[in-house]
Amino acid sequence: MSLRALLLLWAALSSLIAALLAIGLPRLLPGYSEWSTTAQLLTLVLVLLPLMLLLVYRLSRPLRQGLAALEAGILNFADGDFSTTLPPRGSPETRTLAEQYNAMAIKLRQERFTLHQRELILDKVLQNSPMLVLLTDARGRIVLANRETEQFFGQTGLEGQNLSELLAPYDNHTRALFDATTDGLYPLHSDQQADTYYLVQGQFHLHGQPHRLILARQLTRELARQEAAAWKKVIRVISHELNNSLAPISSMSHSGRALLPEQSDPRLHRVFSAIEERCQSLNRFIQGYATFAKLPTPQPQLVSWHAFIEGLRAQYPFVLQGDLPALSGWFDASQLERAMVNLLKNAHESGSDADAITLSVETLESGVSLRVSDRGQGMSQATLNQALIPFYSTKRQGTGLGLALCREIAEAHGGQMQLQNRPDGGVSVSLWLPEGLASEAAGAAEKLKRG
């Protein structure tokens, strides 16, 4: 029954009851007709009012029940509970309200589920992002920090810590990165290497409170890759031009020697021989640079660490430190051998005693580390910073491509290379291959066992 019909019914029943009371009271109350008009009306109202209230209470019961249910549902909404639905009963108005409430509850429930799924996806992305993600509140306390940020600071559970207190033990470069107010590139220096980070930050309001979001992405490897690509392009252009000049020079020299008479001056033969020898030497020089410029994609395979190490030892002696990994390696043996031979050659040319040159292969949680150490003269800070740049060399006959090629091979395998001076003299160079290669090696070894 609609509210309008309810009011009409209440008015009709009220009129009917009033008429019946007006007729019945004189019979029920002796002398009622002799009462004054005021007394009669007052008696009629006193008798009629409870009946009207009872009638209103009984007729409005479905409406009250519907409104009470709707009030309870709205209180559930205020508490964030969207699981309750209302039975559509009572007057058409209350049924319409209940249906609209139920539709809104279903929509809010679906939106909350979608929002929860999006939060899970966003958290998964943030936690596995290679960027440093840090969210702080107005007091500088950390609200959110992903795994990369925890690895950067070397500790877990950063939420709730004060960022300023967390940065107190770090150097000025690290504090400048997180305290910066403008986006851009920021260098970080350590004993092992210099890294470059790109900082992006923003101010946001969450729950009415200001928050600061910090995103920092390490660009060291990307910049090194772009730098190597630029050098490769330069080498290819130079090699192309030199080859175009060397080929006709060598051909003309050969033709000139053939045209010389038998009784010609021997000095002319020596001239042509010198030209051909220099052409061959320059060609070998160009081929060495072409090796860096055209390094093929690694073709990893199972490699026995014992056989690999013994192959290196046959070329340059060294002292093996620690035990070799139990599992076979998974890498391009020819490329990694070339890199390790370059490192061992540099160690022997550093002035170190052969007995002081060591090599270790260590299995880490994140991968495998191959480290070559010597007790030579070490490197100055300027040399250490530029040692991996192509064409840079402190040797008189050096090409400046040895360490650059080693880094290129390591990064082609998904790893990285680090140089550092040892505290008591000498240099330590490490090649790190990522965990994925170790897991692939284990999987390949398991397949071989199964046959």
Side-chain angles (χ1 to χ4, degrees):
M1 182 180 295
S2 66
L3 183 60
R4 180 179 296 178
L6 181 64
L7 292 175
L8 291 175
L9 178 61
W10 179 78
L13 290 176
S14 299
S15 301
L16 178 60
I17 293 174
L20 291 175
L21 288 175
I23 297 173
L25 282 178
R27 297 179 180 182
L28 295 174
L29 298 175
Y32 178 78
S33 56
E34 299 177 357
W35 293 4
S36 65
T37 303
T38 303
Q40 291 179 357
L41 291 176
L42 182 60
T43 302
L44 181 62
V45 169
L46 292 175
V47 175
L48 183 62
L49 184 60
L51 294 175
M52 293 300 99
L53 292 176
L54 179 62
L55 181 62
V56 169
Y57 178 80
R58 296 291 298 176
L59 292 177
S60 63
R61 183 177 180 181
L63 178 62
R64 288 184 289 103
Q65 289 178 342
L67 293 176
L70 186 62
E71 180 185 9
I74 293 175
L75 291 176
N76 288 335
F77 278 5
D79 293 336
D81 182 10
F82 307 130
S83 61
T84 305
T85 55
L86 303 180
R89 63 186 180 185
S91 65
E93 290 83 2
T94 56
R95 284 200 301 271
T96 301
L97 287 175
E99 291 172 355
Q100 292 178 352
Y101 171 89
N102 293 339
M104 183 169 57
I106 293 173
K107 184 176 181 180
L108 290 174
R109 195 158 56 239
Q110 292 174 345
E111 289 182 352
R112 165 175 278 188
F113 177 77
T114 302
L115 181 61
H116 179 65
Q117 293 299 312
R118 289 178 178 177
E119 288 179 350
L120 291 178
I121 294 173
L122 180 60
D123 181 70
K124 196 73 173 179
V125 171
L126 290 179
Q127 292 300 329
N128 293 278
S129 173
M131 294 192 301
L132 305 180
V133 180
L134 197 64
L135 182 66
T136 59
D137 60 15
R139 296 180 297 173
R141 295 195 175 274
I142 299 175
V143 178
L144 172 67
N146 66 343
R147 293 194 188 99
E148 190 72 15
T149 307
E150 292 177 346
Q151 291 179 4
F152 180 88
F153 287 106
Q155 56 180 295
T156 58
L158 297 178
E159 288 80 0
Q161 297 190 40
N162 188 281
L163 181 59
S164 299
E165 297 176 358
L166 182 65
L167 292 173
Y170 291 86
D171 56 25
N172 294 332
H173 295 284
T174 304
R175 289 196 294 270
L177 173 64
F178 291 94
D179 293 339
T181 57
T182 57
D183 301 346
L185 295 175
Y186 292 87
L188 294 185
H189 298 281
S190 65
D191 296 336
Q192 298 183 359
Q193 62 182 2
D195 294 325
T196 301
Y197 282 82
Y198 179 67
L199 175 70
V200 178
Q201 61 173 336
Q203 301 290 335
F204 302 92
H205 278 76
L206 298 177
H207 306 294
Q209 298 294 325
H211 287 70
R212 178 176 176 237
L213 178 64
I214 301 173
L215 303 175
R217 179 185 178 189
Q218 187 180 16
L219 296 180
T220 307
R221 181 172 296 182
E222 183 174 338
L223 292 174
R225 188 180 299 114
Q226 293 178 359
E227 180 184 27
W231 282 116
K232 288 179 180 180
K233 185 176 181 180
V234 171
I235 291 172
R236 284 195 294 268
V237 172
I238 295 176
S239 298
H240 177 74
E241 295 299 325
L242 287 177
N243 279 325
N244 287 344
S245 299
L246 284 177
I249 292 174
S250 179
S251 176
M252 291 175 65
S253 174
H254 181 73
S255 300
R257 180 193 290 272
L259 292 176
L260 286 177
E262 295 181 0
Q263 295 78 18
S264 61
D265 191 337
R267 290 177 297 179
L268 291 177
H269 289 278
R270 289 197 296 269
V271 168
F272 285 114
S273 297
I275 293 174
E276 292 176 0
E277 181 183 352
R278 294 311 301 164
C279 287
Q280 293 174 2
S281 177
L282 188 55
N283 185 61
R284 289 192 299 268
F285 181 79
I286 294 173
Q287 292 302 321
Y289 282 103
T291 302
F292 173 78
K294 299 178 181 179
L295 182 69
T297 302
Q299 302 297 322
Q301 58 184 353
L302 272 178
V303 181
S304 168
W305 283 112
H306 179 75
F308 180 75
I309 295 301
E310 290 304 316
L312 295 177
R313 198 194 301 272
Q315 301 179 62
Y316 287 97
F318 56 84
V319 177
L320 180 64
Q321 284 190 336
D323 298 327
L324 294 176
L327 294 176
S328 298
W330 184 256
F331 51 84
D332 189 313
S334 61
Q335 290 192 12
L336 192 62
E337 180 182 11
R338 178 179 298 178
M340 297 305 297
V341 166
N342 279 338
L343 297 182
L344 291 171
K345 178 175 177 291
N346 288 343
H348 279 272
E349 294 176 352
S350 67
S352 173
D353 294 335
D355 295 340
I357 298 174
T358 61
L359 186 148
S360 63
V361 182
E362 184 180 2
T363 301
L364 307 174
E365 293 183 359
S366 57
V368 179
S369 175
L370 295 88
R371 183 181 298 274
V372 175
S373 303
D374 61 58
R375 286 299 181 187
Q377 300 176 357
M379 297 184 182
S380 65
Q381 190 61 43
T383 302
L384 201 63
N385 293 337
Q386 302 181 72
L388 299 179
I389 299 177
F391 304 122
Y392 179 83
S393 177
T394 56
K395 301 176 184 178
R396 180 174 300 178
Q397 301 296 329
T399 62
L401 286 181
L403 292 178
L405 181 62
C406 293
R407 183 182 71 174
E408 186 72 10
I409 291 173
E411 293 182 352
H413 281 77
Q416 63 182 9
M417 176 178 171
Q418 294 182 351
L419 290 86
Q420 61 184 112
N421 283 318
R422 303 179 70 182
D424 298 329
V427 174
S428 177
V429 185
S430 63
L431 287 181
W432 171 78
L433 304 181
E435 182 181 10
L437 296 180
S439 61
E440 288 178 7
E446 186 66 23
K447 290 181 180 179
L448 288 178
K449 289 181 181 179
R450 295 176 181 177

